[in-house]
């Protein structure tokens, strides 16, 4: 049986506190802690701008809880 990583992802909400090169961001989570997150492909294609203080929704990696992917700006 094939198990996809998407079945185990966890979605959380946070605030962008630092912008880094190559569409990377440091995000403070509402539940506490920080995550290093990159911008998802759909948001890159649409050239969506993320700035400091933006509220974002993040999918956390099932393998490393300190990394994630920004899937939506709230």
């Amino acid at each position: 049986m094939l198990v996809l990583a998407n079945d185990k992802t966890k979605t959380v909400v946070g605030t962008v506190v630092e912008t880094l090169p190559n569409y990377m961001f440091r995000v403070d989570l509402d539940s506490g802690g920080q995550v290093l997150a990159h911008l998802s492909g759909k948001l890159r294609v649409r050239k969506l701008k993320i700035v400091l203080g933006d509220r974002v929704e993040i999918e956390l990696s099932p393998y490393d809880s300190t990394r994630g992917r920004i899937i939506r700006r709230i």
Side-chain angles (χ1 to χ4, degrees), residues 57-70:
E57 189 173 339
I58 300 173
E59 279 185 349
L60 289 179
S61 168
Y63 306 108
D64 186 4
S65 62
T66 63
R67 293 189 171 257
R69 176 174 58 177
I70 298 174

Side-chain angles (χ1 to χ4, degrees), residues 20-36:
L20 303 168
N22 298 328
Y23 295 107
M24 299 290 283
F25 302 92
R26 186 146 333 263
V27 179
D28 273 342
L29 301 178
D30 290 349
S31 59
Q34 277 194 344
V35 173
L36 183 64

Side-chain angles (χ1 to χ4, degrees), residues 13-19 25-28 30 49-56 73-74:
V13 177
T15 305
V16 175
V17 293
E18 184 180 3
T19 58
F25 302 92
R26 186 146 333 263
V27 179
D28 273 342
D30 290 349
K49 298 293 182 190
I50 304 288
V51 295
L52 294 177
D54 277 352
R55 304 270 301 150
V56 292
R73 187 174 71 181
I74 301 174

Side-chain angles (χ1 to χ4, degrees), residues 3 8-9 23 44 55 68:
V3 177
K8 298 179 183 178
T9 58
Y23 295 107
R44 284 186 190 192
R55 304 270 301 150

